[in-house]
Amino acid sequence: MFQFSYSFQNVLTEARDILIKPISFFRDLPKTKEPILTLYFRFLTFLGFLYLGAILSMTLFTPLDIPIPPVSFLLLEMPLAYFLASLIAFPILGFLYILISWICGGVTEWSRNFRASSAVFSTFWLAVVLQSFGGLIHVYVGIGIGVAFTAYVPFLFYTALTSYLEAPAKRAAVTLGIFTSILFYVQYSRMTSYIEDYRMIENMNSHKPLTREEEEQGEQEAAEIIRKAMEKARSEGNQTEK
C-alpha cells in the first residue's frame, strides 16, 4: 500500500537537531523503512534551503563591486536547475552512502542510507550562507569557515555510519579518514587558487590612478629623457662627420 507523509515543521526540527546535537539525533533516529517519495521531498526541502542560501550569497552577501545576477536567473533559471539537479543528486548521494556503508561494514538497506544522506545534506545550506557572510568580513574568514565545514561533514557522516547505519567505528574512521584527506586536498587546491586571484585583485585595486600633476610631471620627465637622447645622438653624429 502506498504511503506518504511529509511535515515541513518536522523537517525544520530535523535540520536544527542535526546542527545542535548530531550524535543524539542519529542515535535516536528511527530505523523504520520510509517511502522513497517521503525521502525525496525531505531532500528537496533541504535543497530548497541550499537554493535560498545561494540567493543570499549572490545578493546580500556579495561585494559591492560584483554585479548581482538578473532576477530572471535568480527566480526562474536557478530554481529549475536546482529541481533538475535534485533528480540526479538524490539517487547519487543515496547510492554513494550505500557503497561507503558497505565498505565500512554497515547496513546497506537503501531506505536507511537514503535517510542518512538527506540528513547530512541538510547542513550544506548553512555552509554556503556562513562562508559567504564570512567572505564579506575578510576572505580568510570565509576560507576558514569553508575548511571547518569540510571537516564537519565527515564528522556527521561518521556519526551516521556508526550510530544509524551500525558500521564498526574503527573501519568507518579509517575509510572516512581517507575520504576527508581527499576533501581537504580538493579544498586546499581551490583555496590556493582563490587566494591567488584575491591577491591579484587586491594588487590591481591598490594601484591608485595618477593625478593630473603626476601625469604632467611624468610627461615632462619623458620629454626630458627624449631631448637628452636626441642631443646625444646629434653630438655623436657630428663627431662622426668630423
Side-chain angles (χ1 to χ4, degrees):
M1 182 178 178
F2 177 77
Q3 294 180 350
F4 172 74
S5 62
Y6 175 82
S7 171
F8 183 71
Q9 183 62 41
N10 291 341
V11 172
L12 292 179
T13 303
E14 176 176 317
R16 180 201 63 191
D17 292 343
I18 293 174
L19 290 173
I20 298 176
K21 44 183 180 180
I23 297 177
S24 61
F25 171 81
F26 284 109
R27 185 184 62 239
D28 301 333
L29 190 63
K31 297 179 174 60
T32 55
K33 186 175 181 179
E34 295 189 34
I36 187 67
L37 197 58
T38 300
L39 296 171
Y40 173 71
F41 268 82
R42 185 183 289 111
F43 176 84
L44 191 62
T45 303
F46 293 141
L47 191 65
F49 293 165
L50 185 62
Y51 161 71
L52 294 178
I55 292 292
L56 290 176
S57 67
M58 289 188 291
T59 54
L60 295 180
F61 300 150
T62 299
L64 297 177
D65 56 343
I66 297 179
I68 297 176
V71 177
S72 60
F73 174 78
L74 296 175
L75 301 182
L76 294 177
E77 297 177 26
M78 277 189 66
L80 178 60
Y82 271 68
F83 173 72
L84 295 177
S86 70
L87 301 176
I88 301 174
F90 175 67
I92 288 178
L93 280 178
F95 286 116
L96 178 63
Y97 272 61
I98 292 175
L99 175 62
I100 297 179
S101 182
W102 173 73
I103 294 174
C104 296
V107 175
T108 57
E109 198 272 322
W110 70 267
S111 178
R112 287 171 64 175
N113 280 274
F114 274 67
R115 182 75 174 87
S117 67
S118 63
V120 174
F121 182 74
S122 67
T123 61
F124 284 25
W125 67 273
L126 186 61
V128 173
V129 172
L130 291 181
Q131 191 170 6
S132 300
F133 179 74
L136 280 182
I137 300 174
H138 195 277
V139 62
Y140 290 109
V141 176
I143 291 175
I145 294 174
V147 172
F149 267 93
T150 302
Y152 183 65
V153 170
F155 165 73
L156 289 179
F157 198 0
Y158 174 81
T159 305
L161 277 172
T162 55
S163 300
Y164 183 63
L165 300 176
E166 304 174 11
K170 292 183 179 179
R171 197 167 172 180
V174 173
T175 303
L176 290 183
I178 298 173
F179 176 71
T180 305
S181 300
I182 296 174
L183 279 182
F184 271 117
Y185 175 76
V186 174
Q187 183 79 5
Y188 174 77
S189 301
R190 292 179 56 193
M191 181 177 61
T192 303
S193 176
Y194 186 78
I195 290 176
E196 290 177 355
D197 294 341
Y198 172 76
R199 288 176 176 173
M200 182 179 66
I201 294 174
E202 284 292 305
N203 291 333
M204 292 175 60
N205 293 336
S206 63
H207 295 301
K208 298 180 180 179
L210 298 176
T211 62
R212 182 57 185 169
E213 292 77 9
E214 292 174 337
E215 291 180 357
E216 292 178 353
Q217 182 179 357
E219 292 174 357
Q220 293 175 359
E221 292 176 353
E224 183 66 19
I225 293 174
I226 294 173
R227 185 185 64 79
K228 291 181 179 179
M230 293 179 64
E231 290 180 353
K232 182 178 180 181
R234 190 180 298 112
S235 62
E236 290 177 352
N238 294 335
Q239 291 178 0
T240 303
E241 292 177 356
K242 293 179 180 180

